[in-house]
């Protein structure tokens, strides 16, 4: 099948961004909605300890490094 230049652009535009893929990945491992992950990212909410452990394990990072602003709000 042959696509026009514009059709090829539209197909590319429909692909998820790296950020969207990251949010979906974290939502899946924490059993949360993507909207919740976005709230964690902007600091409106923070995950519980169980979710933080799951994220740290998935991303292979220290739990304490993930949400440094959480300590300031507690």
């Amino acid at each position: 099948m042959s696509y026009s230049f514009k059709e090829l652009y539209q197909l590319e535009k429909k692909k998820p961004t790296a950020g969207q893929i990251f949010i979906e990945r974290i939502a899946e491992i924490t059993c949360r909605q993507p909207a919740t992950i976005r709230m964690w990212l902007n600091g409106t909410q923070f995950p519980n300890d169980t979710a933080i452990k799951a994220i740290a394990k998935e991303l292979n990072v220290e739990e304490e490094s993930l949400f440094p602003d959480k300590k300031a709000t507690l």
Side-chain angles (χ1 to χ4, degrees), residues 40-41 46-47 52 55 63-71:
W40 296 349
L41 288 168
F46 294 100
I52 291 173
I55 296 166
E63 292 175 30
E64 298 78 24
S65 68
L66 288 172
F67 296 93
D69 295 339
K70 183 178 181 180
K71 292 178 186 174

Side-chain angles (χ1 to χ4, degrees), residues 20 23-24 33-45:
Q20 290 168 327
I23 288 171
E24 292 292 331
Q33 294 295 315
T36 301
I37 309 310
R38 288 184 190 93
M39 286 187 255
W40 296 349
L41 288 168
N42 70 30
T44 305
Q45 291 183 9

Side-chain angles (χ1 to χ4, degrees), residues 3-60:
Y3 294 101
S4 71
F5 184 69
K6 186 173 182 176
E7 289 169 330
L8 290 168
Y9 168 73
Q10 293 298 332
L11 289 171
E12 286 298 312
K13 195 173 169 182
K14 288 180 182 179
K15 290 181 180 177
T17 66
Q20 290 168 327
I21 293 168
F22 179 84
I23 288 171
E24 292 292 331
R25 176 180 171 196
I26 300 303
E28 184 175 327
I29 66 161
T30 60
C31 300
R32 303 299 192 287
Q33 294 295 315
T36 301
I37 309 310
R38 288 184 190 93
M39 286 187 255
W40 296 349
L41 288 168
N42 70 30
T44 305
Q45 291 183 9
F46 294 100
N48 63 25
D49 290 342
T50 303
I52 291 173
K53 286 181 192 310
I55 296 166
K57 183 178 178 184
E58 176 73 13
L59 301 178
N60 196 31

